[in-house]
Amino acid sequence: MSTPAEASLQGPSRYDPLADLRQRATHDSHPNGAASDPPASPPYPETLAAPCPSLTQRLAKAWPIWSIGLLVAVMGVGAVSAVSLFRIPNLPNCRAIFWPTAAASTRLQCAEAYAEQGTVEGYLDAIALLESLPADHPLRGEVDLRIETWSERILDLAEDTFQAGDLSEAIAMARRIPNHTAAAQLVNERVSEWNQIWREAETIYAAAEADLKALAFQDAFAKAIQLLNVGNTHWKTVKYDELTSKITAAREDLNQLGKAKELARQRTLKAMQEAIALAQGIDSQSPVYGEAQSVIRQFGRDLLILAEAALDRQDAEAAGQFLGAIPAALGMGAEIADMRTFIDASQLSWQGGITGLEGAIVRLQSVSADRPLYGKAQALMGRWQEEVKGRTQLEWARQVALPGTVADLRAAIGEAQQISRNNAAWADAEAQIGRWRGQIETAEDRPILSQAQAQAQAGDLAGAIATARQIGSGRALSGEAQENIGQWRNTLQRAEDGPILTQARQLAAQGRLSEAVAVASRIGPGRALSDEAQSSLQTWRDQLQGQQQLQAAYRAAQTGTASALADAVRLAQQVPEGSPQRVEATQALTRWSWDILRLAETEAMINRSRAIAIAETVPAQTEAYAQAQLRLREWRAAQETPGPLTMP
């Protein structure tokens, strides 16, 4: 037969640990009160049983056995106790209990179980389970305390949910707190606080996003910093990180777009392709995306302009490459097609001549009035049509110039000048006019130059120069005329200045340097012999300066005093190195330096300080310098240690 506790384990409901404990306690306290099965019949009939010894005798004989049995029983009880301690029985099946008849302890036990789940539903189930207890119930005070605690925990969970970023769920959780609890009195205030914090955070975030769209990154980041003070963990962390990441990404995108613009300024095909790739790499969710798309469209227009510029340089291949780099997403297919027509027409016009221009005009006529580049096509056709007219006029002028007479050439120039300066054929016309004018000037000036050359051959150089000067500068033969004039003038100046330079050199050879300088100075700068004259003048002036300096040194040394000899040395040192007097000046310097040293030695017997001052004036490049330095060391040492004067 099973106990009530064992019966509860056999049913579908959970095991009630309190009931189980109560059943065990009852069974242990009443061991004989429970029904038991009758003892089994002995295996043998009573008639066959042997006489039983007394209890004392049996115990005395079997004491080892019952001692071991007692030890085993004690160990068994200990093992059962340990197992009972470590095997915590399950809670009762609270969902299956019929609560109208349930005991308060069962309600409290199940309420605790629900609350231990730590969820809003658990706390609410726990509160609902205990609220039905009557107000005069002995456990009512403890129950009310627990209900208040669980209500506060629901509010804490709602706060955690709010901090996690789910405002609506947090409010819903808080609203479920029973109205009669103290925590319920805080709900409205808490919800109002949450709403205010949330609105403030949303306002800051929206303002930051507006700044971000306006690419005002500094303002956006300043507002992001404000999120750190809004009082909500979700806004402080998740939304702050989200916003700063957006700002960082937008700044990087803007830098990327700046690099694209910088590349595009190079105006090369490779740079433009790289610039477009950078701009296209900006994500559509970026605040910079709109600006990037505008920049890409500008790049497309720039490529179209570059293609047109390549056509102006007559580089059809480069023009086609620029067109190929325009992104298809820009929808500039019509402009690209028209520009390719321009390339075909331009290549025809580059063939030269009227035939090529006419073919180019026919090709451009395929650009209809509904095309995007129709206006440019019409302008280009008009220019080529004018060029056809200009080249036709130039061909007529060439026909007029064919006879080659001055009159025909002038008439041809008149015809060619009728071409407009804005006409593309004017460059060829102007070059042709220049050639015709050269032919006319040559025909007019050749007799004049021939006459001048004849005068020069006859020895009339002045007359030849005067005649050749009749040919004005800028005319066809002006270069040849100026070259002849230069040669004739050089010859004439040499004839005029040669005797002057010879006379000056003769005077210099006689030592009359001042007269030589005066004579050679008559040859002015820019004349044929001016370079030779200036070179000789410099040499003679150096010699004259050397003479003057040496004479001044001799005059200064005449008195023989130390100061006079020092002045003489200074003047002699100023004689130029290349002067013929340099050797004599060096000899005089040597002699005067020895004289200064002797004066110093003489003065040392009277005034050692004065002797030192005199010896210091001995020039460093003279023979007496080493001896003077030796004397200076001796005299300076003697000044520090007074003693008898010594003389060499």
Side-chain angles (χ1 to χ4, degrees), residues 125-208:
D125 288 345
I127 292 171
L129 197 59
L130 297 182
E131 278 186 333
S132 60
L133 291 177
D136 57 351
H137 194 280
L139 295 178
R140 190 65 204 186
E142 181 181 353
V143 164
D144 289 342
L145 288 176
R146 296 195 182 192
I147 289 175
E148 290 295 339
T149 300
W150 296 335
S151 298
E152 291 174 359
R153 289 180 181 175
I154 293 173
L155 190 58
D156 291 340
L157 288 176
E159 179 68 31
D160 293 342
T161 303
F162 167 71
Q163 294 295 334
D166 194 344
L167 174 63
S168 58
E169 179 62 20
I171 294 174
M173 292 167 63
R175 297 293 189 197
R176 298 178 69 182
I177 296 174
N179 293 330
H180 64 275
T181 62
Q185 309 306 314
L186 302 175
V187 169
N188 289 335
E189 179 182 351
R190 188 70 60 89
V191 168
S192 176
E193 179 183 348
W194 292 343
N195 283 324
Q196 181 179 354
I197 291 173
W198 204 268
R199 283 193 299 271
E200 179 185 355
E202 286 180 334
T203 301
I204 294 172
Y205 197 93

Side-chain angles (χ1 to χ4, degrees), residues 441-598:
E441 290 169 357
T442 299
E444 292 175 344
D445 295 342
R446 178 58 66 184
I448 298 174
L449 187 57
S450 298
Q451 179 185 353
Q453 290 171 343
Q455 288 175 315
Q457 290 177 358
D460 185 8
L461 296 177
I465 291 172
T467 301
R469 281 177 175 169
Q470 296 178 22
I471 300 174
S473 61
R475 293 177 66 82
L477 296 181
S478 63
E480 185 178 350
Q482 290 301 316
E483 182 180 356
N484 287 330
I485 288 172
Q487 293 174 356
W488 297 334
R489 183 185 294 114
N490 186 55
T491 301
L492 188 60
Q493 289 176 354
R494 284 183 176 276
E496 293 173 349
D497 296 341
I500 297 175
L501 187 56
T502 300
Q503 180 186 1
R505 286 171 176 168
Q506 290 173 351
L507 291 170
Q510 297 172 9
R512 298 158 63 182
L513 295 176
S514 298
E515 296 179 42
V517 169
V519 171
S521 297
R522 288 156 51 188
I523 301 174
R527 295 179 65 83
L529 296 178
S530 63
D531 290 343
E532 293 183 41
Q534 290 301 316
S535 177
S536 297
L537 282 169
Q538 185 62 42
T539 301
W540 298 336
R541 287 184 178 122
D542 289 344
Q543 293 176 3
L544 190 59
Q545 181 183 4
Q547 288 180 356
Q548 293 171 350
Q549 292 292 337
L550 188 57
Q551 291 300 322
Y554 281 133
R555 287 194 298 271
Q558 286 178 356
T559 60
T561 63
S563 60
L565 291 174
D567 290 340
V569 167
R570 179 179 54 78
L571 291 170
Q573 286 176 331
Q574 296 177 8
V575 175
E577 290 289 340
S579 174
Q581 287 76 27
R582 183 63 186 178
V583 175
E584 183 179 353
T586 302
Q587 294 172 352
L589 280 170
T590 302
R591 184 172 62 256
W592 293 334
S593 63
W594 282 114
D595 291 343
I596 292 172
L597 181 58
R598 281 193 290 272

Side-chain angles (χ1 to χ4, degrees), residues 99-112 126 128-130 132-133:
W99 293 114
T101 61
S105 59
T106 303
R107 288 177 177 271
L108 186 60
Q109 185 179 13
C110 287
E112 289 285 357
L129 197 59
L130 297 182
S132 60
L133 291 177

Side-chain angles (χ1 to χ4, degrees), residues 218-485:
Q218 291 284 48
D219 295 339
F221 188 74
K223 290 181 175 61
I225 295 296
Q226 295 177 20
L227 289 178
L228 300 176
N229 301 317
V230 297
N232 181 273
T233 303
H234 176 71
W235 284 99
K236 288 180 180 179
T237 56
V238 177
K239 300 300 285 184
Y240 171 80
D241 292 341
E242 176 185 302
L243 184 55
T244 54
S245 296
K246 285 183 179 180
I247 295 171
T248 301
R251 183 181 284 114
E252 291 174 354
D253 289 343
L254 190 62
N255 290 338
Q256 182 173 329
L257 191 59
K259 291 179 182 178
K261 291 179 180 179
E262 189 67 27
L263 280 171
R265 292 190 186 98
Q266 298 179 20
R267 315 298 283 179
T268 64
L269 177 63
K270 181 180 179 181
M272 293 298 295
Q273 289 172 332
E274 292 177 357
I276 290 173
L278 282 175
Q280 288 177 331
I282 295 174
D283 189 79
S284 60
Q285 300 301 317
S286 172
V288 188
Y289 180 74
E291 176 69 14
Q293 294 305 302
S294 298
V295 169
I296 292 172
R297 286 192 291 273
Q298 183 58 50
F299 288 166
R301 292 189 291 270
D302 291 343
L303 285 168
L304 205 62
I305 294 172
L306 289 171
E308 189 173 354
L311 279 184
D312 292 340
R313 300 192 306 271
Q314 298 189 359
D315 190 348
E317 181 180 0
Q321 290 173 341
F322 281 124
L323 293 178
I326 298 175
L330 295 181
M332 298 177 63
E335 290 88 343
I336 294 172
D338 288 352
M339 186 57 70
R340 293 196 184 280
T341 302
F342 282 22
I343 293 175
D344 295 340
S346 297
Q347 287 177 309
L348 290 172
S349 71
W350 298 339
Q351 294 176 4
I354 297 173
T355 303
L357 288 170
E358 290 176 343
I361 292 170
V362 172
R363 184 70 181 90
L364 272 190
Q365 286 175 345
S366 63
V367 180
S368 58
D370 59 342
R371 302 294 296 179
L373 298 185
Y374 174 76
K376 286 188 176 182
Q378 292 299 309
L380 189 55
M381 280 194 298
R383 192 176 73 189
W384 285 342
Q385 288 167 349
E386 287 298 318
E387 186 177 352
V388 168
K389 293 179 182 178
R391 293 196 178 280
T392 302
Q393 181 68 22
L394 182 58
E395 286 300 321
W396 167 245
R398 286 171 176 158
Q399 294 298 320
V400 172
L402 282 178
T405 65
V406 172
D408 293 330
L409 293 174
R410 292 187 187 280
I413 290 173
E415 292 293 337
Q417 286 178 334
Q418 295 181 21
I419 300 172
S420 172
R421 302 297 189 272
N422 298 324
N423 196 304
W426 172 249
D428 291 342
E430 188 176 28
Q432 185 63 69
I433 290 171
R435 290 191 291 271
W436 289 335
R437 281 178 176 162
Q439 293 176 18
I440 294 172
E441 290 169 357
T442 299
E444 292 175 344
D445 295 342
R446 178 58 66 184
I448 298 174
L449 187 57
S450 298
Q451 179 185 353
Q453 290 171 343
Q455 288 175 315
Q457 290 177 358
D460 185 8
L461 296 177
I465 291 172
T467 301
R469 281 177 175 169
Q470 296 178 22
I471 300 174
S473 61
R475 293 177 66 82
L477 296 181
S478 63
E480 185 178 350
Q482 290 301 316
E483 182 180 356
N484 287 330
I485 288 172

Side-chain angles (χ1 to χ4, degrees), residues 611-636:
I612 291 173
I614 294 172
E616 286 177 342
T617 62
V618 176
Q621 295 82 10
T622 60
E623 295 177 1
Y625 180 74
Q627 186 66 25
Q629 294 301 309
L630 179 61
R631 287 287 180 264
L632 284 170
R633 285 194 295 273
E634 292 176 357
W635 295 338
R636 287 170 180 154

